[in-house]
Amino acid sequence: MTKSFVTIADLSKEKIMSLLEAAARFEENPNRKTLDGKVIATLFFEPSTRTRLSFETAVNRLGGRVIGFSDAATSSSSKGESLKDTIMMVGNYADLIVMRHHLEGAARYASEVSPVPIINAGDGANQHPSQTMLDLYSIYKTQGTLENLNIYLVGDLKYGRTVHSLLMAMRHFNPQFHFIAPKELAMPNEYKIYCKEHGINYVEHTDFNEETIADADILYMTRVQRERFTDLMEYERVKDVYILKADMLKGTRDNLRILHPLPRVNEIATDVDDSPKAYYFQQAKNGLYVREALICDCLGINEK
Amino acid sequence: MNNKKTELLVAALENGTVIDHIPSELVFTIAQLLELEKLNSSVTIGYNLTSKKIGKKGVIKVADKFFSDEEISRLSVVAPNVVLSIIRNFDVVEKKEVITPDELHGIVRCSNPKCITNNEPMSTYFHVVDKQAGTLKCHYCEKEQNKSKVKLV
Ligand SMILES: [Zn+2]
């Protein structure tokens, strides 16, 4: 078995911390020759320009080379080739495969058949663990710790895969969560059960205002999408409730930082961008260092 | 009287396995799960026999075959309550119950249509996370589902 990175669910606290420390070293010195002579494949069966560019930049800054495709229409899977066959073929050429696929569990399966390590760059609604690692890195970097933080998750907590993964990854660090969402998009029961099983404290809110967020260390915003609602009346009623505006930040803590997995539509008003508490653009940049760390870890390279 | 007739229909077994008191609707599912069609020894399947206990019942007798625990555990999803009688020299020497395994390989289908297992020629794989409640978790898409809702492959 090669060392793949498929899910956040089974990462230990020690593993998370060592990856974050590696990411910090890459932030200090992101341009290296670590991957000189290595070929990394980026197989995007489902397009995602943002994630692909982040991974490909990480490879390029480490001196490696990239092969691959950016959407399934240009790959052999459009001719009906099985995932296994594509992975076996590319595994002959590359030292590591970064893949994104619309089917859930695709990366896990690929990691079982592949001769080289697999990094999951998103498998449908299931996992997107490099996003979770960059969220953790952003929290760690801005707060100086992951322990004992007040983390507020806002918006679509029902379908938002990033908030579910973040919730699971934070189980090691004694967080106090606040779930702020309209009823239709509330945190699903299975994750509330997960919280109870892992001793994670949480409070649920439906209103979102200055008072609710006064004690927040991290405000993690997500998009409330119209197509998620079965009741469009409900959507019209709540669509403007979960928008963060600059004047809501007045009474908040100095160390508060606002995160968002991007792309943003209107859930964060543009007047927030100028606040020192806005962190979502730096957050995306952190993805580069985290991905440099993940690639090296999967290849068994320990960079100082 | 009735009982005697039933017995006559099904030949006595010298060595092998008898599964009795099967709810009739499960007879062929069990035959399929135990892959009886692949056996060369004689197999007798009784279907819609009259039973005082459960109305209509089925019975399966398999000559010269002793199922492994792994083979028997495949029945845990649909027929957790059947009992297998091990016959040696016309006598029942052991009764085996179905034990729910920790993992199910290639037995049930994942109920998530977007799961890789429903779109790629591959075997399914579930972790049994709660044996009492019958909760299965797909090893691939990580979705939890109840065994009463899943279909056999
Ligand atoms: Zn599945």
Side-chain angles (χ1 to χ4, degrees), chain A residues 267-281:
Chain A
E267 55 280 7
I268 302 177
T270 47
D271 63 2
V272 177
D273 295 358
D274 300 328
S275 165
K277 295 173 182 175
Y279 193 73
Y280 27 94
F281 297 118

Side-chain angles (χ1 to χ4, degrees), chain A residues 6-7 9 82-85 101-106 108-109 112 123 125-127 168 190, chain B residues 112-123 125 127 137-144:
Chain A
V6 168
T7 175
S82 70
L83 173 61
K84 180 180 174 180
D85 288 8
H101 204 287
H102 63 285
L103 292 172
E104 295 157 29
R108 167 78 69 190
Y109 177 59
E112 291 172 356
D123 60 330
N126 185 34
Q127 291 270 342
M168 292 166 85
E190 56 174 304
Chain B
N112 174 8
K114 290 170 86 179
C115 178
I116 185 71
T117 60
N118 288 316
N119 294 275
E120 177 88 2
M122 62 185 283
S123 180
Y125 173 6
H127 301 275
K137 183 177 187 177
C138 176
H139 175 70
Y140 294 98
C141 73
E142 304 181 29
K143 286 269 180 315
E144 287 192 358

